[in-house]
Amino acid sequence: MLSQHQQQEVCVHIRWMIRRDMPEVLDIENRSFEFPWSEEDFIRCLRQRNCIGMVAEMGGGVVGFMLYELHRAKVHVLNFAVARSHRRFGIGTGMMTKLIAKLTPQRRDRIVLEVRETNLPAQLFFRSLGFRATTVLRDFYQDSTEDAYLMQFLAMPDAS
């Protein structure tokens, strides 16, 4: 017998972000980060041709999101969060797994992202998915003097 959360986990739907999602995305953002993005930050990002927003939806509501940029040889995750009430149920892993599946050794072969040095839960989460810290970015953030870790996931080369 599945618990209620396990039953709901099966029903997570990952889809493109639409304008109607913005209030829920902003709520998750504001509850997740000390220095959250504003609605203008999201809109400015999403207006760029290479920027894509995805949401994880469960029970008719948004429970997670990610924004990423497509570059010639990499995918750059700009923002990523799961609602506190829905963490540790595989939602973030599902979103990142979907993104990792888009990698190919011939084209975009890596995902990069920055994580605050004080955000140990995020560092551990991304590390559990195979990301590795490659560089320390000194005084990276505009809102503080905090450093960031540049983390990278590399696609496996074809075994042919």
Side-chain angles (χ1 to χ4, degrees), residues 7-20:
Q7 288 172 355
Q8 287 179 331
E9 181 183 1
V10 175
C11 299
V12 173
H13 176 61
I14 299 168
R15 60 169 174 78
W16 304 114
M17 185 184 294
I18 58 175
R19 184 172 277 291
R20 191 175 64 225

Side-chain angles (χ1 to χ4, degrees), residues 134-151:
T134 58
T135 311
V136 176
L137 304 170
R138 301 282 177 210
D139 196 16
F140 181 74
Y141 297 96
Q142 294 176 349
D143 51 40
S144 70
T145 58
E146 192 171 356
D147 295 342
Y149 292 111
L150 180 67
M151 297 188 80

Side-chain angles (χ1 to χ4, degrees), residues 33 41 55 78 118 144 155:
F33 300 112
D41 293 331
V55 296
L78 303 172
T118 56
S144 70

Side-chain angles (χ1 to χ4, degrees), residues 55-114:
V55 296
E57 189 176 45
M58 195 165 88
V62 173
V63 296
F65 70 87
M66 68 178 162
L67 284 142
Y68 58 91
E69 287 178 331
L70 296 174
H71 296 274
R72 195 176 57 74
K74 68 182 179 187
V75 176
H76 183 186
V77 175
L78 303 172
N79 200 337
F80 179 92
V82 173
R84 288 188 190 278
S85 59
H86 289 77
R87 290 183 187 165
R88 302 197 181 273
F89 296 112
I91 295 165
T93 299
M95 287 193 294
M96 288 309 300
T97 300
K98 193 163 185 139
L99 194 57
I100 288 167
K102 295 178 186 290
L103 298 179
T104 62
Q106 300 78 25
R107 181 119 195 248
R108 292 184 187 101
D109 65 351
R110 66 192 179 276
I111 298 172
V112 297
L113 51 85
E114 300 84 18

